[in-house]
Amino acid sequence: MKRSCVLFFITSAMTAHAITSTWNGTTGDWTDGGRWNNGVPGNGDYAVIGAGTVGLAASSMNLADLTLSGGTLIFTNWSTRLQATSIALNGGTVTHADNYDTNGVDGWDLIARVWIACSNLTVASGAKIDVTGRGYPGGTNELTSGFGPGGGTYPYGGASHGGYGGCNTGMLYGSEATPTNHGSGGCGAAVGGIGADGGGVVQIDADGTVTINGSITADGEKGNSWHGGGGSGGSIWINCRTVAGSGMVRAAGGDGKDNGAAGGGGRIMIDYNSAAQA
């Protein structure tokens, strides 16, 4: 009788298991493995921040989960993206770095925004994404208009963006459908003071649900010197399948100081799936 032989090959491979890595509560950069108890979180890992200040200068790995219960997470570059399947902001603050001048008086670089890419995002009551005053700066003295396309004009002008600032000949700018512009700065104060800064930028791309019971704000600053104009609101752009919660999303202009005029509002777009939302 003819016999046959069947040979089975069994292969084995090392399977990477997800880890949970917790920030140690100090101030430093996300990529500093010594500040995480299990090293920098990698693809599929769980990241936990409960205290301290974490600077995110480059996009994170594709995390399974990020939980922020305290402390501050600061985005420091325009292209930086926080990526996770689930993001739970249970406390603390998410913001981005101030913008600064590297090209002279007329060349403010917009170096940062908050950019989150996830399936589901929760901003719990008491937690906040806050980029108030993180946009274009205000005028530097009484003869200087604010910086940015809608900078508040001298005298007393509040900055414009999505709406006009008071006493201002500055232009409206930005997109209603895809708002990604920073707010402009108010004019300088009448007695050598600095005008108020505009609001920053928040972009959220979620293929699931964004639940907001806390706050997302991109307000312009209030005038902080005598007769200083208020900054204009920045931009908040949320792309999601559904949106829920009872919190606040705001990009308001800041009030002026004394005779200084208020800044105009910024721009907010919440783009959701209407059938799923219904």
Side-chain angles (χ1 to χ4, degrees):
M1 183 174 69
K2 189 174 181 179
R3 304 181 65 183
S4 61
C5 179
V6 179
L7 182 63
F8 292 92
F9 291 92
I10 300 176
T11 61
S12 64
M14 296 295 291
T15 302
H17 294 284
I19 64 167
T20 298
S21 198
T22 302
W23 185 258
N24 67 1
T26 60
T27 297
D29 189 79
W30 178 286
T31 59
D32 185 348
R35 299 180 189 271
W36 298 93
N37 72 330
N38 282 316
V40 179
N43 289 325
D45 288 343
Y46 298 80
V48 178
I49 301 170
T53 301
V54 186
L56 188 62
S59 296
S60 72
M61 294 297 211
N62 291 307
L63 307 175
D65 182 272
L66 169 76
T67 301
L68 180 76
S69 58
T72 303
L73 177 62
I74 304 176
F75 289 68
T76 60
N77 279 307
W78 183 260
S79 60
T80 295
R81 184 170 60 181
L82 176 63
Q83 306 169 120
T85 300
S86 177
I87 297 177
L89 307 181
N90 298 325
T93 301
V94 175
T95 188
H96 68 67
D98 276 326
N99 297 285
Y100 61 89
D101 183 13
T102 61
N103 298 312
V105 172
D106 297 320
W108 289 92
D109 283 345
L110 301 178
I111 64 166
R113 61 178 162 175
V114 170
W115 187 10
I116 294 173
C118 60
S119 290
N120 298 302
L121 169 66
T122 299
V123 183
S125 178
K128 58 185 178 180
I129 300 173
D130 186 2
V131 295
T132 295
R134 299 287 186 170
Y136 288 100
T140 55
N141 60 55
E142 62 181 299
L143 299 178
T144 306
S145 298
F147 294 91
T153 53
Y154 181 79
Y156 310 142
S160 299
H161 180 188
Y164 286 108
C167 303
N168 186 14
T169 59
M171 61 182 286
L172 301 184
Y173 62 97
S175 168
E176 294 180 2
T178 59
T180 56
N181 290 93
H182 290 76
S184 294
C187 76
V191 186
I194 297 174
D197 297 344
V201 174
V202 176
Q203 181 174 339
I204 297 168
D205 298 316
D207 57 20
T209 299
V210 173
T211 303
I212 305 165
N213 289 311
S215 61
I216 302 177
T217 51
D219 296 343
E221 282 188 332
K222 297 180 179 180
N224 49 30
S225 298
W226 192 46
H227 300 330
S232 61
S235 297
I236 300 172
W237 183 16
I238 301 174
N239 298 288
C240 60
R241 186 170 185 270
T242 56
V243 62
S246 57
M248 178 178 66
V249 180
R250 187 180 67 199
D255 291 335
K257 178 74 170 179
D258 300 313
N259 289 335
R267 297 187 184 275
I268 298 172
M269 166 58 79
I270 301 178
D271 192 358
Y272 56 86
N273 182 309
S274 58
Q277 186 72 29

